Amino acid sequence: MILVTGGAGFIGANFVHDWLAAGDEPAVNLDKLTYAGNLGNLEGLADDARHEFVRGDIGDRALVESLLARHRPRAIVNFAAESHVDRSIHGPAEFIATNVVGTFTLLDATRAWWAQLPAPERDAFRFLHVSTDEVYGSLGPDDPAFSETTPYAPNSPYSASKAGSDHLVRAYHHTYGLPVLTTNCSNNYGPRQFPEKLIPLMIVNALAGKPLPVYGDGRNVRDWLYVGDHCTAIRTVLAGGRPGETYNVGGNAEMKNLDVVHTLCAILGELVPGRDYAAQITYVKDRPGHDRRYAIDARKIRRELAWSPAETFATGMRRTVRWYLDHARWLDAVTSGEYQKWISLNYQGA
């Protein structure tokens, strides 16, 4: 079996669903259930004997040790993280606590447990750490895309905390020999994403007839990765990645934020006609330290592990919009007072 941390969040929950759909190997799912991690993301798994959910914190060493001793996982896939730049600007302490201290606690408990395993189990074990392209900083319009050797230059408390966790993972491999793998992904989108992120926020607001708030001039560029493709990449790295290595995972889809919003408006216009959604676009004050461009060079994972994304931006976006339209109950459950408080804090005047 495998241990998945943060498996009730956006990417983690999609991975759990993907993992169980792809095979019969069980997964124990450890999640703290903060605002963006909720059991609604795991709908359909309550009666699946292959899935065990445990509510808890990766920073709780005693809990982590008990799970390792009881389940003896052959791998850990670590999604657990505070993961939004805007929230890190307003409250950085939680990001340091989870992303740095929590990752350290998980790593150190795992190292101690792993070291006493019989040699065959010890050699087969993997610790896969899921990270972000934001650790690399910001690119100019003509700069080459981030590769696995790009120096780290984080520009927000969020990206700095993820950079710290990446360094700890690397250090535990080089110091203790722990067989780690790190993936640095570009911007994910798809089902089950909390509507603080650009794409689900625009879908929710568009359907409600509210303004579609775009930071600054809307020309910030991101590489967009459909979450299902990301899940496949993680399974691929877990199966064949070389311990100690980093693999960048990208969607081959660089887009300006404004173009993403216009694409969404066009898809909604087809699927839910009757309104000019683009007329709802509103420009709001840019956030502090807003990185101008991210782009991923994913040639290494394609060359070494034969992975490439199956979805184009167009097909992935259509699947995403369709999912949100078909899951109104899920949206109602997550667009609570916490969500409204966050919107008022980050998009004043929208």
Side-chain angles (χ1 to χ4, degrees):
M1 55 78 63
I2 65 168
L3 173 63
V4 179
T5 68
F10 164 47
I11 304 175
N14 276 283
F15 177 80
V16 170
H17 283 282
D18 177 83
W19 181 264
L20 296 175
D24 292 326
E25 187 172 9
V28 172
N29 183 351
L30 174 63
D31 196 289
K32 191 177 178 180
L33 294 184
T34 55
Y35 71 95
N38 71 82
L39 293 178
N41 289 342
L42 303 172
E43 186 175 5
L45 300 181
D47 297 323
D48 193 326
R50 300 169 300 163
H51 177 252
E52 178 181 338
F53 179 78
V54 178
R55 183 173 186 176
D57 190 340
I58 59 170
D60 183 342
R61 182 168 185 137
L63 174 59
V64 171
E65 289 175 339
S66 70
L67 292 174
L68 293 173
R70 179 154 58 97
H71 294 288
R72 300 178 70 89
R74 72 168 181 91
I76 294 174
V77 183
N78 180 35
F79 294 97
E82 297 287 343
S83 63
H84 195 252
V85 172
D86 294 346
R87 286 184 184 269
S88 79
I89 292 170
H90 294 292
E94 293 181 17
F95 287 73
I96 302 304
T98 298
N99 299 356
V100 180
V101 180
T103 301
F104 159 73
T105 302
L106 179 65
L107 275 169
D108 203 52
T110 300
R111 175 197 59 80
W113 170 80
W114 167 81
Q116 51 77 46
L117 289 174
E121 289 184 54
R122 191 168 62 246
D123 293 342
F125 179 79
R126 297 291 183 268
F127 183 107
L128 193 154
H129 175 65
V130 180
S131 191
T132 172
D133 58 359
E134 297 191 37
V135 298
Y136 298 123
S138 184
L139 293 169
D142 300 318
D143 290 340
F146 300 132
S147 74
E148 290 80 0
T149 59
T150 299
Y152 277 29
N155 290 320
S156 71
Y158 161 61
S159 56
S161 68
K162 288 299 288 184
S165 69
D166 291 7
H167 292 319
L168 283 168
V169 170
R170 173 185 168 86
Y172 267 65
H173 174 70
H174 286 276
T175 301
Y176 303 110
L178 187 68
V180 304
L181 301 156
T182 298
T183 56
N184 292 85
C185 67
S186 56
N187 276 36
N188 278 222
Y189 67 98
R192 305 180 181 90
Q193 189 171 28
F194 189 76
E196 64 184 356
K197 301 296 178 75
L198 178 67
I199 289 173
L201 172 65
M202 295 301 148
I203 295 172
V204 170
N205 280 17
L207 294 174
K210 296 179 179 179
L212 307 183
V214 175
Y215 280 133
D217 61 7
R219 299 178 67 82
N220 298 73
V221 174
R222 301 292 182 262
D223 174 45
W224 294 94
L225 172 66
Y226 184 69
V227 68
D229 283 328
H230 189 195
C231 293
T232 303
I234 292 168
R235 286 195 285 110
T236 301
V237 172
L238 187 61
R242 291 179 289 134
E245 291 293 313
T246 294
Y247 296 90
N248 280 355
V249 184
N252 298 330
E254 277 194 68
M255 298 279 290
K256 297 182 181 69
N257 287 347
L258 187 58
D259 292 338
V260 170
V261 177
H262 277 291
T263 299
L264 270 173
C265 290
I267 294 172
L268 284 169
E270 293 177 30
L271 299 180
V272 191
R275 182 185 299 153
D276 180 6
Y277 295 102
Q280 296 170 224
I281 294 173
T282 304
Y283 295 93
V284 298
K285 182 181 179 181
D286 209 352
R287 72 186 181 200
H290 195 179
D291 290 335
R292 194 62 171 171
R293 173 175 169 249
Y294 305 140
I296 280 282
D297 180 346
R299 285 179 292 180
K300 179 178 177 179
I301 191 173
R302 184 168 65 246
R303 180 179 66 250
E304 294 190 8
L305 302 177
W307 176 88
S308 59
E311 300 290 341
T312 65
F313 184 73
T315 62
M317 283 292 289
R318 187 168 290 273
R319 291 184 66 175
T320 299
V321 174
R322 184 78 268 169
W323 188 90
Y324 283 97
L325 291 176
D326 291 342
H327 290 81
R329 187 164 59 88
W330 183 93
L331 270 179
D332 289 342
V334 300
T335 52
S336 62
E338 170 71 18
Y339 165 78
Q340 297 300 335
K341 179 181 177 182
W342 182 85
I343 290 293
S344 65
L345 180 64
N346 286 278
Y347 289 108
Q348 294 177 6

